Structures are given as structure tokens and as C-alpha cells.
Amino acid sequence: AKHLKRESMARYLVSILTGIGTAIIALAIKFSIHYLADIKFGLIGDLMTKCSHTGCTYLPLLAFVGVNLILTFIGSWMVTYIEPAAMGSGIPQIKCYLNGVRIPGLVSLKALIVKATGVILSVLGGLACGKEGPMIHSGAAVAAGISQGRSLVLKRDFKIFRYFRSDTEKRDFVAAGAAAGVSAAFGAPIGGVLFSLEEGASFLYQTLTWRMVAASVTATLTINIVVSLVHGHPENLSEPGLISFGQFSDIYYLSVELPLFLMQGLIGGIFGAVYVHLNYKLTVFRRAYITEKWMKLLEACIVAVISALMHFMFVWASNDCTDITPHGAHVMTVQGFCPDGKHSSMATIFMKAPEGSLIGMLHNDIKYYEPLGLLIAMVFYFLLATWTYGISVSSGLFIPSLLIGAMWGRLYGIGVSYFVPSAAAHIGKYALIGAACNLSGAVRMTISLTVIVIECTGDITFGMPMLLCMMLSKYSADFFNKGIYDTHIELMGVPLLEWEPPELCATVKAREVMNAPVVVLKPLETVGRILDVLKEEPHMGFPVVASYDPENARQGNTFGRLQGLMTRSQLILLLHERVYKDNKRDLDISFEDIEAKLRNVKGIDIPDNDRELMIDLRSYMNPTPFSVSTNVSLPRMFKLFRGLGLRHLIVVNDKNEVEGIVTRKDLAKYRAHGELGKIKLHHLEVVQ
Amino acid sequence: AKHLKRESMARYLVSILTGIGTAIIALAIKFSIHYLADIKFGLIGDLMTKCSHTGCTYLPLLAFVGVNLILTFIGSWMVTYIEPAAMGSGIPQIKCYLNGVRIPGLVSLKALIVKATGVILSVLGGLACGKEGPMIHSGAAVAAGISQGRSLVLKRDFKIFRYFRSDTEKRDFVAAGAAAGVSAAFGAPIGGVLFSLEEGASFLYQTLTWRMVAASVTATLTINIVVSLVHGHPENLSEPGLISFGQFSDIYYLSVELPLFLMQGLIGGIFGAVYVHLNYKLTVFRRAYITEKWMKLLEACIVAVISALMHFMFVWASNDCTDITPHGAHVMTVQGFCPDGKHSSMATIFMKAPEGSLIGMLHNDIKYYEPLGLLIAMVFYFLLATWTYGISVSSGLFIPSLLIGAMWGRLYGIGVSYFVPSAAAHIGKYALIGAACNLSGAVRMTISLTVIVIECTGDITFGMPMLLCMMLSKYSADFFNKGIYDTHIELMGVPLLEWEPPELCATVKAREVMNAPVVVLKPLETVGRILDVLKEEPHMGFPVVASYDPENARQGNTFGRLQGLMTRSQLILLLHERVYKDNKRDLDISFEDIEAKLRNVKGIDIPDNDRELMIDLRSYMNPTPFSVSTNVSLPRMFKLFRGLGLRHLIVVNDKNEVEGIVTRKDLAKYRAHGELGKIKLHHLEVVQ
């Protein structure tokens, strides 16, 4: 019982360390971007102002485009050539990982470094992206690294936490890490836990939830303490995450406003559906034509140049010089091309890291932005953000989605204020609802997202209308297509199992789904046959049967009575350690350690005269693998896989003889497809 | 595909109706208690004041005791004699129900009526209890009633939603109803969903979560609209639930305060552990000695009299007349025995429905209560609340727990203000943290509870220290014993399966857990044997085997090759409808309908000459029941039961021959018992 206590304590320790580690990454990203962005935009802003007098407009333009291009180039090069697993926000990949799909290198130290550095470069490089999504991937990678007590990339093994080296344990830690990532990004510890529950954890149980809470709380607390210290108010902890929506002084709602907000939910749903549709088409195009690494790099560079040109153009071309003071005394205004004493409101959008643009959009006075300019800027930024998510850089889509929503929300508020002039004083409310609905329409995770937005806003009275609008936004968008993450997962062709078995598949039986013939092993096998099987067959699991008649098997009949299951990695380990029948011994090394040492069978050198020696599999196999009868329905198998996190399910006849084997991929092929209110069952192409 | 769409829409419709129904119950309870309590305390307060001049103190005392006794008597009589399932808060029972345990009558219309009426009577009867806990049970009963489209108690079948009449469907709706109940009670829609997820839903999936959200949001929105209308401010929706903690004007924290709050977490843990321990001892005593119905009724009456005497005594004996205006302009002060122009601060605690006492405790000035009097009152109220939870009335423990915590939290704040005088201005903060920690120490559900408290408080900036303290409170209390609900569940001897298999049971095999010999049926059975089996055996499921040799079975060997499973209710239905081999036909009635018509086999009248007729079970049995091998470990069976909501698991040998059967009860017997930091495995007595 003692070692159980120790392991349980160690699990909490790992969760707390994960929280601290994630916070450190988040802080590094936050401060790098903050200070470097100030320097960059300061220099370029000064150049602009100088040149608006002397006419050297090309100088700030060149500087802006040049700097952005170089930064994006480096970031994209790292992602494209060093670690492609660090691409995008990583949320679809983490979702798959938590679902039980293996994605090599996803939570490695290399991916973490490229992801974190990459997102700094992308944001500084002026792309329409945020730094929040990648925090979730980073948190997951931190959790994986700490819990395993080793790095496969560094080839260092610290020999701690070795009892956590099973797939399930690691996955649980990664779920806690993802929660810590959300918590660090948004200062939303509860939202973080809900995010992991909603998107991830296959088989939920309570102690795992507590560990997620521990990781989340530690992450946001660490950030809060450090940032409050750096900002010089250690007594007042008020900086819980990477982003805050700023202080709303008087956020309340009247019941007559509810319909107005609900309308925004609908708009958000439409924006979200269009966003997903365009991004889907672009991704399909990219699949077909942008196949080489240099092409991906080139695309990222083109996006960087176009973004820079567009940002610059808006500041240069718009005649929106204002002397209204923007929200927040410490906000740096950019004079841009405006006469002295005035500043450019477009520069408040485009000459800032996007978090700053968002806060301005939520809080500035109604007259601060010129409506027509805002509308045009919104459309362009929308297209830019749609293009950006999917190029080969490390980037998140939360902030651009929120910013676009805040832009149209503000326009909506301006519209409302024509009819109800008193609404003008509360324009920020419409911008906030717009931001929330736009994000919800794009990603479609309503509960966790609502909690995240509420925690970000720091106000709960507004939670109820927000929840209603975000639900409406999700449902109206769901009518047209799936969320952006699920769309990308489907495009990846990954065998993700959804929460419920697809509809219309109740009549599909195990017999139709299973793979047959099956490669089976006998309890006593020769080294030679095992080696041949491993070399010839790509399968990950092999049933062990009492007796086995190859002739019978070839005729497509049964394959003997089921005795157990050997996994591929177990077999490789047995061969590698030469644990033959006559020198049977306890293995010092655990089966979970194997992937570190040997990734495939080719590295194993077996002398020819060992081929006839026997291995007794009975001591090593799983003697009670899950099995079902040939008549079991697909929904039931689905529940087994989903509920228990299985990888293989053996199909037996009523004499307990092996008939076939079902893997996760076989089930993931069945997808019920909902579109425009209709459901149909279709087969998905799954990568092998 | 069309009927799937329709069912999915109907599910949402039922969820929304559940929200509205729950809100109506909540509103009825709220307004009844509000207006009747005002009348009651108004009259008695006037009598007190009058008698403090004329010396007729016995008059208000008699009136107070008399009214409380009569109300409690009626309430307790209803619960004891009409529907014992309506006892207490109902939360442990709902938890068991959601876990898959059948509790007859728990979510019936009768239970709903007795519960709702009973809680009004208990609260008005002056017991140390709240009306919030029972709302969860009420919401669950509303959901069950609406989703099934019929009432077994009323014997009315509305023939709607018939496709929802399966155990699983009903359980899902009950989970949504429980969420709506929390939402209605606390105005906490997100907390409600989390409550159901944390305490309930066995097999969680996303669409169920959405339905919970729909029910929760509808419940709180309905209440908000109605109450805001009644209170005359329909434009400002600010009354989301039965209870609110009142408006905190300046709730923020300094980092140096965190250790102070954490200390409160520890205190809350100790209070919680003591509370559970005392209540446990009382409940065991009650089991042994208070066995007759009249005794239960008598106990409730005694508690009512003692409560009334104690409440009165505190107001009468304490010399705490004050002229400080209590928080909230509309608060009714009670002059009590005080001179004119002053009022009694003890009456602000004891001459009010406990929700009012709580709000006062959270908001009144530091000088409002006299510390020594408050301390004594706290101790007495603590003992009273401990005694009250478990007597035969409908009652909740949230409010008393919060009130006790607010009392010691306030005392703690007074202590702090001796050292840091500036703390005096924020005494309410300590009272709030105390309330939250005390509740957390008693019930131990940290995440959902934190969200509920945050939603009640209406402020999120305070969420982080609250979460930390409540976690600490839970963990420190967990060191000593289980939470109050789990303790009661264990005392009920109900076969509840926890989230994870008990520790230390990895070496227990199916062979040791299973029941054998098993009563099996052949595919073709005689009516006579089926009838005999049903009459003699209490089991709920019977394996169907290919061939069956009674002699062999009697020797404890195997029982033939597994073909399928028949449940008890299926067999009863076949007999009742006389579906014999020669008149085989499709049954018009579904298997789920059966319990409405026939509860046991005794009601079935079979003519003697039918006994030799055959029934072909193959057309009706479940042909693919879940089965495992004899060597499967207990944790694996546990996961199957917990993850898939099983009731029976058949144990077979490697020839697929039945060896035994495992039920939920067999697994629930194994409990790992943690106490004072040690874990040991023990067997639980389970009621049969």
C-alpha cells in the first residue's frame, strides 16, 4: 500500500511541476513578445512620423515588410524543416493524442522548443495569429517531458517517475498539461480543466480531474505572482494569464438587450461557418499543390509580406487621425502619418501585437474608429486570418477570431446606437459578445469556452447572456459544417473516435468491421517465425492461440482458441533481450521503456542458428485481452474502445476461436456525416 | 435518419421543459417560504417586543415552539409515512441513481411532491436546514417525469417520448434534471452542469453535456425572468436563483492574505471532518434504535422543539441590542426584547429563514455581532445542524454548512483585525471564505462547488483563492474520513461503483468475485422451468447456453457454451404475453415498458397444461452479452461496469462455457478504505 501512496503523491508533484513549467514557458513567450514588439513598433512608428514630413514613406514600409519577412522566415523554417509537429496551434493534434492516437514527436522537447520559439517569431512577424493556442500544445509537451523523467530527443533518462511510463499514465499527464496551458494562456484555471475534459480525456475519472486542477491552478498562480512582481505590484495579484480583456467598469445587461445579443450569436455562427469553409478549401488546395517543404516556407513568407503590406496600407491610406485618448493610460499611441498631437486609430489595430488591438477594440470610445474603415479592415483581416491558419508556422487562432468578432461586434453596436443612442456608452459590450460568438462559431466548444471568456473578462454577471449567445453561435454554425479543429482532424485522416458511435451504424456487425485473416502466434513459437512475422506484418498486436493450423487459416476459417495477446513492442523486446525458453528470466527493463531503445525490428540482429530456438510467450502475453463475438454491433465495440481506451479488440466465435481483429482505425472509418440538417453514414479514408 | 433527427430534437425539448419545470418548483418553494416566513417572524417579533414590556415572554415562546412543531410534524409525517424516498437532501440517492443503482420511487411524482412540500415545511418549521439540496432531487424527478411522458404513481401514460423509456435514456435525463436543480437553487448554470458531471454521469459524452447546459440555462433564466418581474425590475435580470450571497462591493485580495485564507481552508477541513464523524455516529445510532416510523416522527418533533427553544433562547438571553443598521436597506430588523430604537443582532441570525441569516453574516459591519455570543451561537448551531441532517424530513445541508462557515469565518476575521486593523473593513471576505471552506469540508466536491460559489458570489477575481482554499479544505478533511454524501451512501449499503477500481485489488480475479453455480437456460425452454426459475431465483439476468446438463452443473462444473442473456423482465414479459414457440410474434409492447405493468412474477397466472409448452428464447435474448474470462482482474471488470454501465458480466472459460456471473454488487463489495493516511482493502456489506 505504501508504494500506492508514494505514486499518488508523485502524480500530484508532477502536476504541480507541470504547472510551473508551463508558466515559465508562457512567461518567456509573454515577455519576449511584449518587449520586442514595443521596440519594433516604436522604431517603425517613429520612422512613419518622420517620413510623413519628409516623404520617405518607402523607408518605414521597407523596414516593416523586411522585419516581418525575416522573422516569419526563421519561424517557418524551424517549423518546416526541424519539427513539423509544431505547426499551427497543435490543438487538433493534442485532441487526437488524448483520444488515443499515436502522433510521433508531438509532445517531445524538440516540438516544445520549436513551438514556443516559433510562436514568438510568428506574432512578432506580424501574422494574423495569437500566442494562446500554442500554449496548450506547450503545456502538453511540458507535462509529457516531466512525467516521463526523460527526453528521447536529448537521449537523457533521469530515471525518475519510471512507473509513469505507460501510455495511459502519460496521456493523463498530457491532459493535465493541456489544462495548465489553457490556464496559463487565459488566466482561466477552471476553463482549462473544462477544456481538457471537453476536448480530451477519454476515460474520465475524478482523481485525474484533481490533478488537472492542481496543474491549472499552479500555472496561473505562478504567472500571476511573477507578472505582478515584474509590474511592481506584488501585493495585488491581478495578472493571471497571457491575455486579459481589460477591466470592464460597468458590464451589466437589460433583459431587452437579450434579443440583440442573440442576433450576434447568429452572426457569429455564420462567420464561423464561412471561416471553416474557406479554411477547409484552402487546406485541401494546400494538400494537393503545396507539397514540398520549400513551397510551405514560401507560402508563409508570402503571407508575411501580404500581411505587412496590408497592415501598412491601412495605416497609410486611411484618413482617421483622432485626438481621442484610447483606453488605458499606459497605452502607447502611434502617431503614424498623422499631424503632431493626433494619432492614427488604424495604427491602434495594426501597429500592435494583436492582443493590444483586441483590448482597444473592446474598450475604446465609440467614436474612436471610423465605421467604414473598420468594416474594410475587418473583411481584410478575416481573409488574412483564414489564410494564416494552416500555413507552416506555429500560430494560434483564438486571438484573431476574437479580434474579428470584436470588430464586427463594435460595428453592430454602432448600428444599434443609431436606433438606441444610449447604447453608445456601452459599445464594448457588443464588441465583447461579438468576440465570444465569433470564436465559438469557429471552434464550437461552448462550455469550456464560455468559462474561459468569463474568467478572462473577470465578470460573471455577464456569463448568462454570453453562454446563450455562444450556444446559439455553435448550433447555427454546426448546421453548416464542423468546427475548425474537427475539420482539420478529419483532413488529417486520423482515426479519432468521437464521443458517441456514429448514428445509423447499429446494424453493422463485428464480422463486417474486423480484419481477417489474422496473423496468430502459438504459445511456444520459434524465434525465426516471430522474426519473420514482425518483418512481414505491420500490425501492432498478435493474438496467441492454443493451436494453429496454417492450412485451415489460409482457407479463411478460424485460427484456434484464444489464449492471450502479444503486442509488437513486447515481441521486439523479447527478441532483443534474447529471452528464450531455456534462459527464461525476469526482465529488468519494462515494456514501456522499449520505444526509447528500439523503434523497429530492423535493428535486431539474430544469429541464424538462434532461429530454431523457442520462446515461451505464456509468461509475457496479456492472458485476458478484450474479445467480443462476431455478432457484436459496431456501437458496442465503439463504446469499448472509447470507454476503455483500447487499441485492439479480438473477435472470436462462440467456441472462443479467433476470427478476426478490430483496431481503432477500423472503427474510425465509420463516420456519420451531418450537413445542412441531414445525416448520412460514410467511410472515411484513414492514413495507414 | 429522420427519426434520429426527431429524437435528437425531442431530447433538447425535454431538457428545456425540464429546466422550466424545475424553475416552477423552485419558484413555488421560494415564494412560499419567503412570504410565509415574513408573516411568521413578523408576528412572533411583534409578540416579543410587546412582551418585553408586559412580561408575557411565555407567549411568543409558546407561539414560536408551537408553530415550528406543527409545521415540522406535518413535514416529517409526509416524509415518514407517505414517501420515505423524499428524506434528506436526496443528493446521495441521486448520486447512486446516476451510478446505475435502482432506487424504487426515487424520481416519482409522489417523491417530488413530498420533497417540495416537505422542504417548505422544514424551513418554515425552523429546522437547521436549507431548501437548496432538495432542489437537485426535485429537478431530477421533474426530468424523469417529463422524459418518460407518464407517471407510474398517477397510472397515467401520455404516450409521448416512448422512445426514451430505457434505463440509460432516463438516467441521462435525470442527470440533466439534477443540473437544472443546482442551477435553479444557486443561479449557477455552469456549476450545475459541473455538479452533474462530477457526481453523476457514469458514461460521459458530449451531447449529454449540451443537454445539461440547455436544462440548466433554461432553469436559471426562467427564475430570473419571473423573480425580476415579481420584484418589479423586469428590465434588470439579477435574480438567477433561490439564493444569492448579496452584492460584494469591493472584493479583492492582496497576495499577503493568501496564507490567511489557506489557514481557513484547514479549519474548514477540520470542521467538515468533525461534522461527518458526528453525523456518522448519529446515523449508526439511528439505524440501531430509531427503527419504527413513529420514532422517526418523534425524533423530528424533538429536534424541532429543541431548535425552537435554542433559537428563542439566544434572542432572549443575549444582551446584544444594537443600533447599527444591517446590510441592505430592505432588511427587516427584529426589535426582539430590545428597547425601542434598537434591535437584536441575534435575531438577525435566528429570527430569519437561514438564507437571510447567511447574507447578514456575510455583509454586516464587524461590530454588528458580539464575538462571544457569535461563538456560542456557532457551536450550538453546528451541533443542531449535525443532528438535523438525517432526521426524517426533507432538508438540505448547503445553507447550514455555509452559515456555520460564515460564522467562524467572521470570528476568524475579528481575530485577524486585532493584528491588522485594516482587515475590519473587509470582514465579509473572511466570512465568505469560511462559508466556502466549511461547505467544501462537509461535501468535498471541489470544482463544481467552487464554480457554484463563484456564480453565487457573482465575482470571479476572488475565484482563485477560493479554489485554493476549498481544495485544501477537501484534502485535509479527506485525511480523516469521506464526505457526508459518500458516508451516507456507504451506510445505505448501496452497490455504488466509485470512479476508479479500489486500490490493492489488482490481484483479485474474476473467478474469486463471480457467483457460481449459475442458473442457466436453454435456447428452447419449457414454460414450466422458466416459471420455476423466476419464482425460485432472485437474479436479474440468466445466461442462455447451447446445452445444459443439470448433473454437471450441480457438481460445480461449467454450464454449457454461452449463447446469450435473458433479463428477468424479458422472461416475465414473455410469460405474461404467452409468446410460446408456436405462436411466436412480434411484441407490440417494448421491454422497457414492462416494469409499469408487472413488477413481479407472482401476478402471472399460467395454466398447468401450458407448463410443457416451449418458448424459443433465441428470438428475444441479447445474443452478444458482455463476457470475460475467469482470469480477468477486478480492475478490468470494474472499468467495464463503470465505463459501460453494465449490470451483469458473464464469466466464461476458454471454451466460452459459462463459469459464473458477476453483478454490480459483487464489485461494490470491494472497497479500499483510506483513514489517517493509510489504505486498506475491505469488504462492504451490501443490502440484497
Side-chain angles (χ1 to χ4, degrees), chain A residues 12 207 234 255 475 500 624 636, chain B residues 12 207 234 255 475 500 624 636:
Chain A
Y12 276 99
T207 48
S255 33
Y475 280 111
E500 282 170 282
T624 55
R636 178 164 290 190
Chain B
Y12 276 98
T207 48
S255 32
Y475 279 111
E500 282 171 282
T624 55
R636 179 166 288 191

Side-chain angles (χ1 to χ4, degrees), chain B residues 172-191:
Chain B
D172 285 353
F173 284 115
V174 167
V182 177
S183 171
F186 299 97
I190 297 167

Side-chain angles (χ1 to χ4, degrees), chain B residues 581-612:
Chain B
K581 184 160 178 282
D582 306 317
N583 61 348
K584 208 163 89 179
R585 56 190 157 91
D586 282 341
L587 288 176
D588 179 31
I589 184 171
S590 82
F591 283 128
E592 282 76 27
D593 271 344
I594 196 174
E595 274 177 298
K597 291 214 166 191
L598 340 136
R599 293 222 166 208
N600 71 52
V601 69
K602 282 175 197 142
I604 298 176
D605 194 27
I606 302 280
D608 265 356
N609 51 359
D610 275 13
R611 285 187 64 93
E612 291 312 309

